[in-house]
Amino acid sequence: MAIHSQYGRTQPLSRRTFLKSTAAVAGAFVLGTYLPLDHRATAQVPQGPFDPNVFLRITPDNIVTLLSKKFEMGQGVTTGIATLVADELDADWSLMRIEYAPNNPALYNNLVFGPVMATGGSTSMLETWTQMRQVGAATRAMFVKAAAAKWGVAENDIEVAASVVRTRDGAHEATLGDLAGEAMGQPVPETVTLKQPEDWKLIGKRAPRLDSVAKTTGAAMFALDTKRDGELIAMVKRPSQFGATVASFDDAGARAVAGVVEVVQIPQGVAVLANDTWSAMRGRDALKVVWDASQAETRSTAQILESYRQMLSSPGLAAANRGDSEAALSRAVRTIEAEFTFPFLAHAPMEPLNCTLELKPDGAELWSGCQLQSIDQFALMSVLGLQPEQVTIHTLPGGGSFGRRGNPLADWTREVAAIAKAIGGRAPVHLVWTREDDIKGGFYRPLVLHKVKAGLDADGRLSGWQHSLVSQSIFTGTPFEAMAVHDGIDHSSVEGVVDSAYAIADFDLQLYNATSPVPVLWWRSVGHSHTAHVMETMVDELAEVAGKDPVQFRLDMLADKPRDVAVLKLAAGLSGWGEAMPSGKGRGVAYHFSFGTRVAYVADVTVEGGSWSVDRIVAAVDCGVAVNPDVVTAQIEGAIGFALSSLMRNAITLDNGRVVESNFDDYEPTRIREMPKVEVHIVPSNEWPSGIGEPGVPPLAPAIGNAIAAVTGRRLRSLPFDVGAAG
């Protein structure tokens, strides 16, 4: 971020300064005290509004439309929350529809980490579980009351089924659409009684997703499909080194490109506006920019990692310290020391970042795949000097996100606002990022270094665990900092270690906060994306050294956690664990708890020479109530496909501070031919539902790595995997 005069030298603007300056412009953005990444207790979810007039629209054609406060980016959340409403309402599933709610956190607050309108942290089903069922139940009660009054019968003589209201004797009958006007005018009940699990008709059942037909036929409209009359397409030339700023630029070449309308400098770089995307792209290519790199990142990945190692020579921040790890390790008969490294990773969603902004005399309208509507609203307010009621956001489905569209700094929203402001709002602006823009100059999962020392006693039991972790903080300098960072400890850096499901009595965890101009952001499963691999690889090796079965070794450390034990036993039992494997094939296990959900994987792999492939993944999942088992299964399958590429090849590498990778040719996603057979087994449960969008990622790397180790005898401690590297 930078502050600048139109063609003058820019000055760096830190994230912390950004927050202070924008608060003065548009009023402080204050979040609640709930921590989105630590939401295991249902007591953390407060009561929310359930007025049907806020959340539903029922039309005479009997269509029930839910105004979703959740953003759909492929994870199936809109189908999930509609299921909750429809079941309690007794609506016909084929008549349910979804639209997105307007940006109004007073009505559509995220109950876990509000007051804010946002989707993230795998909180959606946890957060809406009671509220959306109350919406459905309240609506049903209002229809019953209206029908009873209209037909002159007692309310307990009315029943509702498949969107039809009728008297039990069959004398009167009407659809929800027939009664909508009278019913929705009824007083909203102060309390409602929710169905018992044995009465559910949709919850826990496989129902088709509400968005599948539109997406498969091409009817679904994404942000990239938005077209406003007279709009200009904008593309931004950004520095190739993070932290660099514009010193000067020559726009003569860009203005000479047919179709280019304007060139403006903004804090993030130089924007070219044109009548079409191709002209904007060619115009941007023709720009000549001189960058000031005095504050830029100029190191290579190897140099940054070496600086991380040097940090370990000094004490870190105490993220956890229980028992006496030093004394326990001194008593250990065997110790293992290991270093683990994880690269920067891009999100690389299929739909590149984009949004459209139209300035009007009374405010601004944004069309975007908004994952954090309140953050995007605040960004527009701060750049344009508007009040909340002057910002209208039209949320559209997102073609993937994996964390990228949930940026607490709203980077591309601030860009489009700066561009529209620079041209005086004379035309709607559709900002488009290319895939290269995002992979070479976006936000990344942090580069991380772990160093671990753990021991075993004479009985082969864990005896001491010392853990050091170096990472950039994701939350520091964002509106979420007060929730997630305490005493310098960013919870997202250490999650999965500090709160491991395993009973580790003598344990010490030190955190080192690295700094760099390279921007970092949560990536699907956040800190668990690296911590699970460290924990599960170490535990597996400890079991091997102790001469114990890896599954039993884990079960012993989970003995007081029956739900965790059940998941691990289920995966092992259905995988054929313990059977002999043919030459060149191996089987590995991993278990991890994240986002309130328990996931165990058993992976079967084949290793041939210097290559490896995954044959099968057997997954066991306990996510509480599986609102739609088909969506749960799809999320586990999708998580495996998403994460597999980060094991095989993907890494963002820096050379002189510049990102080497650029597109799917050198940052290649998992291909269909590389996908293993996936078997997903869901533990039946009536417990409060927990997250499912992210928990499928963490156990994948260690399960596969442990399977490869079973074949080669070598532990793969760094990602992506190199089977030739000794552990």
Side-chain angles (χ1 to χ4, degrees):
M1 305 283 180
I3 300 175
H4 72 289
S5 59
Q6 176 63 14
Y7 292 103
R9 184 183 180 90
T10 61
Q11 297 298 320
L13 177 62
S14 70
R15 292 193 291 180
R16 196 175 300 276
T17 303
F18 155 71
L19 291 173
K20 291 178 180 178
S21 63
T22 54
V25 173
F29 189 92
V30 181
L31 293 173
T33 57
Y34 292 103
L35 184 62
L37 300 177
D38 188 19
H39 46 74
R40 300 171 186 174
T42 58
Q44 286 183 307
V45 184
Q47 175 74 48
F50 55 87
D51 185 344
N53 293 288
V54 170
F55 291 98
L56 296 181
R57 185 171 64 249
I58 303 176
T59 48
D61 59 1
N62 215 19
I63 297 296
V64 178
T65 300
L66 171 64
L67 300 182
S68 173
K69 66 177 187 175
K70 295 301 178 185
F71 171 56
E72 180 65 65
M73 46 195 144
Q75 80 277 37
V77 64
T78 49
T79 292
I81 62 175
T83 299
L84 304 180
V85 173
D87 203 318
E88 292 289 347
L89 175 55
D90 283 308
D92 184 333
W93 183 247
S94 69
L95 299 175
M96 290 295 296
R97 302 289 185 270
I98 284 287
E99 292 182 7
Y100 291 101
N103 53 301
N104 185 342
L107 297 176
Y108 306 107
N109 176 33
N110 186 306
L111 303 175
V112 172
F113 53 92
V116 63
M117 193 172 172
T119 304
S122 293
T123 61
S124 292
M125 298 317 301
L126 167 90
E127 187 251 323
T128 61
W129 171 241
T130 295
Q131 184 186 29
M132 290 298 107
R133 286 189 297 148
Q134 288 174 322
V135 170
T139 308
R140 188 185 189 283
M142 291 160 67
F143 271 90
V144 168
K145 186 175 288 292
K150 182 172 183 169
W151 297 331
V153 300
E155 291 182 24
N156 59 9
D157 288 334
I158 302 289
E159 62 182 12
V160 184
S163 292
V164 175
V165 184
R166 60 171 63 90
T167 54
R168 297 184 189 279
D169 62 8
H172 301 280
E173 181 177 292
T175 67
L176 295 180
D178 295 334
L179 293 170
E182 296 150 287
M184 298 302 269
Q186 292 287 328
V188 179
E190 293 184 4
T191 60
V192 291
T193 300
L194 302 178
K195 289 182 179 180
Q196 293 299 305
E198 58 268 23
D199 297 322
W200 292 339
K201 295 182 176 66
L202 292 169
I203 296 172
K205 310 298 191 296
R206 294 180 182 269
R209 283 180 56 148
L210 295 182
D211 56 350
S212 293
V213 173
K215 287 180 176 178
T216 53
T217 61
M221 296 294 292
F222 294 83
L224 204 58
D225 299 314
T226 303
K227 178 79 172 175
R228 303 295 297 166
D229 290 341
E231 75 175 18
L232 295 175
I233 304 296
M235 300 192 106
V236 177
K237 182 128 182 132
R238 304 173 189 85
S240 60
Q241 293 173 304
F242 299 102
T245 54
V246 177
S248 64
F249 68 93
D250 180 352
D251 62 5
R255 291 180 181 274
V257 173
V260 170
V261 174
E262 184 62 275
V263 179
V264 294
Q265 184 178 347
I266 60 173
Q268 298 83 356
V270 182
V272 175
L273 295 99
N275 293 319
D276 57 84
T277 305
W278 179 236
S279 298
M281 190 179 298
R282 291 174 57 234
R284 184 178 65 170
D285 291 342
L287 274 174
K288 296 180 180 178
V289 181
V290 177
W291 300 100
D292 175 5
S294 60
Q295 302 297 316
E297 177 62 82
T298 60
R299 295 173 294 176
S300 67
T301 301
Q303 289 172 322
I304 296 175
L305 269 177
E306 185 54 37
S307 73
Y308 281 15
R309 294 185 179 102
Q310 293 173 5
M311 292 177 70
L312 297 179
S313 61
S314 301
L317 298 172
N321 191 344
R322 58 179 178 267
D324 190 335
S325 62
E326 192 67 39
L329 285 168
S330 70
R331 296 191 299 267
V333 297
R334 291 289 302 275
T335 59
I336 299 172
E337 294 187 64
E339 177 186 281
F340 296 79
T341 62
F342 301 85
F344 291 113
L345 289 173
H347 304 78
M350 186 60 69
E351 181 194 14
L353 297 176
N354 74 101
C355 59
T356 301
L357 182 66
E358 186 170 346
L359 299 189
K360 298 183 176 182
D362 59 346
E365 286 190 65
L366 178 73
W367 289 261
S368 182
C370 284
Q371 188 171 346
L372 305 177
Q373 289 92 338
S374 294
I375 298 291
D376 288 322
Q377 179 186 37
F378 182 66
L380 296 177
M381 290 161 52
S382 62
V383 174
L384 301 172
L386 300 175
Q387 295 301 310
E389 63 273 11
Q390 294 178 285
V391 176
T392 299
I393 293 178
H394 304 280
T395 299
L396 295 156
S401 174
F402 316 118
R404 182 64 181 95
R405 299 183 197 278
N407 189 342
L409 298 181
D411 58 325
W412 77 100
T413 304
R414 292 183 60 81
E415 280 188 353
V416 77
I419 295 167
K421 182 178 181 180
I423 66 169
R426 69 176 186 264
V429 176
H430 190 153
L431 171 67
V432 177
W433 286 49
T434 64
R435 198 172 316 283
E436 289 85 353
D437 289 341
D438 198 32
I439 289 180
K440 295 188 80 69
F443 281 63
Y444 308 99
R445 198 281 304 273
L447 178 76
V448 187
L449 171 71
H450 291 253
K451 189 171 183 179
V452 184
K453 182 178 181 180
L456 292 166
D457 65 18
D459 295 320
R461 293 175 301 201
L462 187 63
S463 179
W465 187 295
Q466 293 180 339
H467 199 132
S468 298
L469 191 160
V470 187
S471 176
Q472 286 178 249
S473 169
I474 290 172
F475 282 94
T476 299
T478 76
F480 292 93
E481 180 176 355
M483 295 193 315
V485 183
H486 303 284
D487 298 323
I489 306 295
D490 185 330
H491 181 80
S492 72
S493 296
V494 297
E495 61 185 359
V497 178
V498 72
D499 52 3
S500 172
Y502 295 121
I504 307 176
D506 299 294
F507 177 76
D508 180 76
L509 172 61
Q510 300 283 310
L511 174 66
Y512 298 78
N513 290 318
T515 58
S516 169
V518 178
V520 294
L521 184 62
W522 35 63
W523 185 86
R524 191 173 184 174
S525 78
V526 203
H528 296 283
S529 68
H530 53 89
T531 58
H533 182 60
V534 176
M535 299 299 293
E536 286 300 284
T537 303
M538 287 294 296
V539 166
D540 211 72
E541 186 168 1
L542 287 165
E544 179 187 9
V545 171
K548 296 186 176 182
D549 176 81
V551 170
Q552 188 59 51
F553 190 79
R554 289 170 169 84
L555 290 173
D556 290 343
M557 291 196 293
L558 296 170
D560 62 343
K561 296 182 177 179
R563 290 179 69 181
D564 304 62
V565 165
V567 170
L568 183 53
K569 283 186 173 180
L570 181 63
L574 294 173
S575 69
W577 184 263
E579 297 174 354
M581 297 293 286
S583 176
K585 294 185 178 292
R587 181 167 287 158
V589 64
Y591 169 77
H592 196 69
F593 175 75
S594 64
F595 304 94
T597 293
R598 297 154 177 85
V599 179
Y601 285 164
V602 176
D604 289 0
V605 305
T606 298
V607 181
E608 295 179 329
S611 65
W612 57 272
S613 59
V614 187
D615 305 316
R616 181 178 72 148
I617 301 287
V618 175
V621 182
D622 181 350
C623 58
V625 174
V627 174
N628 186 317
D630 193 51
V631 171
V632 172
T633 297
Q635 281 301 290
I636 294 296
E637 293 169 340
I640 289 169
F642 172 80
L644 189 55
S645 61
S646 68
L647 280 60
M648 294 187 294
R649 51 184 167 260
N650 281 356
I652 291 295
T653 53
L654 301 184
D655 181 9
N656 193 30
R658 295 181 174 87
V659 173
V660 174
E661 294 72 27
S662 62
N663 206 317
F664 285 156
D665 59 335
D666 53 9
Y667 195 83
E668 186 179 2
T670 303
R671 301 298 185 178
I672 289 293
R673 65 180 181 273
E674 296 166 326
M675 273 296 291
K677 177 183 179 182
V678 178
E679 302 170 16
V680 180
H681 304 277
I682 303 169
V683 176
S685 176
N686 287 330
E687 297 288 342
W688 198 293
S690 50
I692 196 60
E694 297 172 274
V697 169
L700 185 68
I704 293 174
N706 292 337
I708 293 172
V711 180
T712 65
R714 296 190 299 273
R715 295 286 169 180
L716 302 178
R717 307 194 192 280
S718 297
L719 270 63
F721 287 159
D722 177 1
V723 296

